[in-house]
Amino acid sequence: MQLKIYNSLTSEKEIFKPILDGNVGMYVCGPTVYSNVHLGNVRTFLSFDFIYRSLMHLGYKVRYVRNITDAGHLTDDGDVNNDRFVKQTRLEKLEPMEIVQKYTVDFHKVLDLFNLLPPNIEPTATGHIVEQIELTQKLIEKGFAYESNGSVYFDVLEYNRRGLNYGELSKRNIEELFANTRDLDGQGEKKNPQDFALWKKASPAHIMRWNSPWGEGFPGWHLECTAMSTKYLGETFDIHGGGMDLKFPHHECEIAQGKACNDTAPVNYWMHANMLTMNSQRMSKSTGNYILPMQLVTGENDFFEKPFHPSIVRFCFLQAHYRSVLDISNDAMIASEKGFIRLMEALKLLPSIQENYKSNKDVDLFNNLSPNALPFDVKSWVNKCYEALNDDFNSPILISYIFEAVNNIYKLNAVKSEIKILSIEDLELLEKTLNAFVFDVLGLQTIEESNNEKLDQTLNVLIELRNQARKSKNFELSDQIRDKLLAEGIELKDGRDGTTYVLN
Ligand SMILES: [Zn+2]
C-alpha cells in the first residue's frame, strides 16, 4: 500500500516518495504569538498533528519542525505601523517578550489540552536573526534582492526574468498581481508593488530591532520560515504544511526565497489545511461569530448548550478531512459526543468478549450463527483502515470504518458468549488495530484517563485567565471565575506563591 498525498503545488494526489527512505522532514508554520490562539488555528495544528501521528504509525521516522513567530509580523498591507506586536504591546503595556511569553504559554496549554504532540523542534524567529540576515545577504549577492532606504526587498520581477515563476503555488499570474496591488508598504522604496520585505528598517517607535548590515531593523515574516526550515530540514525537504490562508503570499514567498537562494525547490509536497466555520459562517471577532478554544471546553459561550470534553472536540474536528471546510455547530458537537461515547464503550467491551471466548474454548467457531450476527472479516477491515489513512490521511473515512467495527463489537457482545463469530486471533487483531487508530493515530483519550491530567491543565488555564482579569482590574470576571468554580466544588486559594486549587 502506498501513501498518497495531495500536493497543493501540482493540485494532484501524488504517491509520497520521501527524500530519504523511511524518513520525513515536515515543517508547519506555527503561531504568531501576539494574542490567544484561535479555534481556526487549533484546527490547522490538529490536522497536522493527525498527519504527524499517521506518518509515525505508518513507520516513518519524522522530524517535525513548527516555528514560533515572535519577531514582529507585518500585516498583509505591510504597514510597519500595523506591526501586531507593537500594537499589542501598546495595548497591554508590556515588553514585547512578555507578550511573546504570555501567548506562547497559552498556545502550548491549548494544544496540550487537545492532546497535540509537541513538534521535534520549535524554533523561534528571534532565535534565528543571524540566519535571516545571512539569507538576505545571499539574496542580494545573487541579484534577487535590493536594499532601499535601510530595508531590503525581494525583486519579484527579477525572479521571473530568470525563468522562475512567482505565483506557481497560488496559481496567480504576475501581471495580474502587479495590476491589482496597491503600493501601501514602503512607498517609493520598492521597485514593484509585489516585491516583499526580507528586512525592514525599524522606525524610531519600533521596539523589537536588531543590528544588520543595513542598519537597525527586523526580519520580514516570510524569511523566518525559509531560514528555519532550511536550517533544520535542509534546502529541500519533504512536507511543508500550513493553513490555506498562508498559501499566498507567505508560502509563495517561501518558494521564491528558497529557489533564489539554493537553486532548488524548497519543498516536495505542499499541504494546506482548510478553514473552520461556526454555524456555517466564517469565524470573526468583528461579527461576533467567534469563540476561543477554551470556551468550547468550559462551556462559557453563547453558541453551545454545554461544555465539551477536549477529546470530543478533537473527535469532531477529525470527522472532516483536513482539506475540507470544517463547520462546527451545537448539533455537530452533540452528535460527536454521542459517537465518541459509543466508540469508547465499544472499546471497553472488547476485553470481556475476548475473556468469554477464551473461557469457552471447546465450542465450535461459527456454531449456531444467529442471522443478525454478520460475519465480520477483520483482516479486510484492517486493510480498509490503512487504505483510508494512506489516501491523503482521510480521517472521516477512517472514522467510518472504525464505526463499522464498533457496530460489530456491539453485535458480538449481544450474541451469546458461547457462539464464536470471530476467531481469538481476529478478535485480538481487531482490538490491537482499533486501539492503535483511536489512541495513537486519532489521538483520542478516554474521558476517565484524561480527566485528572486535563482537569489540572484546565484549572491552571482558568487560574491564569483569572490572574489576567485581576491584572487588568476586571474584578467582575475574576470573581465570576472564582465563584463559578466554587459552585462546581473547586476552591481557589490565593497564596504567596500564587493560586492553587482544592477539590471539595
Ligand atoms: Zn511560515
Side-chain angles (χ1 to χ4, degrees):
M1 226 182 273
Q2 281 176 310
L3 171 62
K4 288 199 190 100
I5 292 181
Y6 182 88
N7 190 347
S8 305
L9 189 64
T10 57
S11 309
E12 268 173 33
K13 235 185 248 178
E14 299 173 4
I15 290 171
F16 178 64
K17 290 193 195 100
I19 296 165
L20 205 66
D21 219 16
N23 290 265
V24 178
M26 177 163 90
Y27 186 92
V28 172
C29 293
T32 302
V33 281
Y34 64 89
S35 64
N36 295 103
V37 58
H38 61 77
L39 207 56
N41 295 136
V42 171
R43 198 250 164 142
T44 299
F45 297 127
L46 206 154
S47 296
F48 286 101
D49 180 66
F50 170 66
I51 289 164
Y52 175 43
R53 287 167 176 271
S54 300
L55 287 167
M56 289 195 292
H57 182 74
L58 293 173
Y60 292 101
K61 189 171 178 287
V62 187
R63 180 182 285 172
Y64 175 21
V65 182
R66 190 185 62 212
N67 67 307
I68 299 264
T69 296
D70 60 350
H73 174 174
L74 295 172
T75 50
D76 290 338
D77 59 11
D79 184 350
V80 180
N81 295 318
N82 273 338
D83 185 308
R84 294 173 188 179
F85 281 108
V86 177
K87 270 193 170 171
Q88 199 65 22
T89 49
R90 281 189 199 134
L91 214 63
E92 299 198 26
K93 294 190 182 64
L94 294 169
E95 274 289 315
M97 282 321 260
E98 265 183 294
I99 296 278
V100 163
Q101 177 67 9
K102 178 177 160 185
Y103 292 115
T104 303
V105 168
D106 169 78
F107 173 69
H108 287 146
K109 274 187 184 164
V110 170
L111 261 50
D112 211 30
L113 188 69
F114 295 104
N115 201 28
L116 274 76
L117 298 172
N120 302 105
I121 304 176
E122 194 169 43
T124 61
T126 54
H128 296 77
I129 300 293
V130 174
E131 287 84 349
Q132 294 175 77
I133 289 174
E134 280 172 3
L135 269 183
T136 306
Q137 281 174 312
K138 194 169 172 189
L139 287 168
I140 292 175
E141 277 162 26
K142 293 186 83 171
F144 283 104
Y146 57 90
E147 189 205 339
S148 176
N149 190 29
S151 295
V152 180
Y153 295 99
F154 188 94
D155 192 336
V156 172
L157 261 190
E158 178 59 28
Y159 181 76
N160 272 32
R161 226 175 271 136
R162 298 200 199 178
L164 297 158
N165 176 17
Y166 184 77
E168 60 180 305
L169 177 67
S170 55
K171 320 285 183 272
R172 288 172 200 229
N173 178 302
I174 192 151
E175 277 76 34
E176 281 167 36
L177 280 173
F178 274 48
N180 295 327
T181 311
R182 288 178 304 150
D183 186 6
L184 291 169
D185 170 39
Q187 275 131 348
E189 285 183 2
K190 292 203 270 187
K191 288 187 193 169
N192 290 293
Q194 275 304 317
D195 292 353
F196 54 90
L198 300 168
W199 187 264
K200 278 302 277 185
K201 179 184 179 172
S203 67
H206 205 95
I207 316 163
M208 284 183 123
R209 53 208 297 151
W210 291 267
N211 278 322
S212 81
W214 317 283
E216 280 193 0
F218 55 95
W221 169 42
H222 312 310
L223 194 63
E224 69 175 75
C225 287
T226 298
M228 294 187 269
S229 61
T230 310
K231 177 163 180 173
Y232 299 110
L233 299 172
E235 288 175 1
T236 302
F237 54 96
D238 299 299
I239 297 174
H240 192 313
M244 208 119 104
D245 52 326
L246 297 185
K247 239 190 214 179
F248 187 88
H250 185 54
H251 292 160
E252 199 72 73
C253 294
E254 275 189 55
I255 293 179
Q257 289 163 166
K259 281 191 170 175
C261 231
N262 304 315
D263 305 308
T264 173
V267 177
N268 286 343
Y269 302 86
W270 281 93
M271 296 181 75
H272 290 96
N274 212 322
M275 59 191 253
L276 174 129
T277 57
M278 187 162 67
N279 297 322
S280 308
Q281 282 175 338
R282 229 192 137 86
M283 278 185 66
S284 146
K285 262 186 196 167
S286 55
T287 59
N289 194 49
Y290 185 81
I291 177 175
L292 281 171
M294 268 313 285
Q295 293 173 320
L296 200 51
V297 175
T298 61
E300 308 233 354
N301 64 77
D302 301 328
F303 302 96
F304 297 88
E305 65 184 53
K306 62 188 287 295
F308 292 97
H309 188 275
S311 235
I312 291 164
V313 177
R314 189 175 169 109
F315 183 57
C316 178
F317 278 25
L318 290 171
Q319 284 178 63
H321 187 241
Y322 76 91
R323 282 195 288 123
S324 309
V325 173
L326 164 70
D327 185 53
I328 55 162
S329 62
N330 191 60
D331 289 350
M333 286 300 301
I334 296 284
S336 289
E337 186 173 56
K338 276 190 190 146
F340 180 86
I341 292 167
R342 187 170 159 78
L343 167 62
M344 291 302 170
E345 290 301 317
L347 287 177
K348 275 190 221 156
L349 289 175
L350 267 177
S352 68
I353 296 174
Q354 281 193 49
E355 276 313 304
N356 279 337
Y357 272 41
K358 280 176 187 162
S359 56
N360 290 302
K361 265 186 187 141
D362 22 312
V363 182
D364 284 344
L365 199 65
F366 304 123
N367 192 20
N368 300 323
L369 257 185
S370 89
N372 304 330
L374 296 176
F376 176 48
D377 184 346
V378 177
K379 286 180 192 79
S380 75
W381 171 83
V382 171
N383 262 331
K384 284 197 296 186
C385 289
Y386 279 99
E387 267 168 25
L389 200 63
N390 277 301
D391 183 16
D392 194 28
F393 311 100
N394 201 322
S395 57
I397 299 289
L398 174 65
I399 290 172
S400 75
Y401 290 145
I402 286 174
F403 274 86
E404 189 188 324
V406 165
N407 294 337
N408 278 293
I409 291 169
Y410 282 105
K411 277 183 191 167
L412 285 174
N413 192 52
V415 176
K416 279 185 208 134
S417 61
E418 63 269 22
I419 304 168
K420 297 179 182 176
I421 298 165
L422 298 179
S423 68
I424 286 285
E425 292 71 34
D426 275 354
L427 254 189
E428 281 170 355
L429 176 64
L430 175 64
E431 188 179 27
K432 191 180 140 228
T433 312
L434 259 185
N435 280 330
F437 278 120
V438 170
F439 299 114
D440 302 343
V441 179
L442 293 176
L444 303 179
Q445 292 175 302
T446 63
I447 290 183
E448 300 85 357
E449 164 193 59
S450 58
N451 260 356
N452 290 338
E453 188 192 335
K454 295 296 167 190
L455 178 68
D456 189 58
Q457 286 165 358
T458 311
L459 284 172
N460 284 330
V461 171
L462 285 169
I463 287 171
E464 199 195 295
L465 288 175
R466 178 168 165 263
N467 287 341
Q468 283 174 21
R470 289 206 292 185
K471 242 188 199 166
S472 51
K473 303 215 181 333
N474 188 348
F475 296 114
E476 196 187 329
L477 179 63
S478 69
D479 289 350
Q480 218 177 17
I481 294 174
R482 185 198 58 204
D483 296 343
K484 285 196 171 176
L485 284 174
L486 192 62
E488 299 296 330
I490 301 156
E491 190 184 347
L492 296 187
K493 293 199 164 174
D494 298 313
R496 224 177 253 177
D497 303 322
T499 308
T500 51
Y501 65 87
V502 181
L503 302 179
N504 295 322

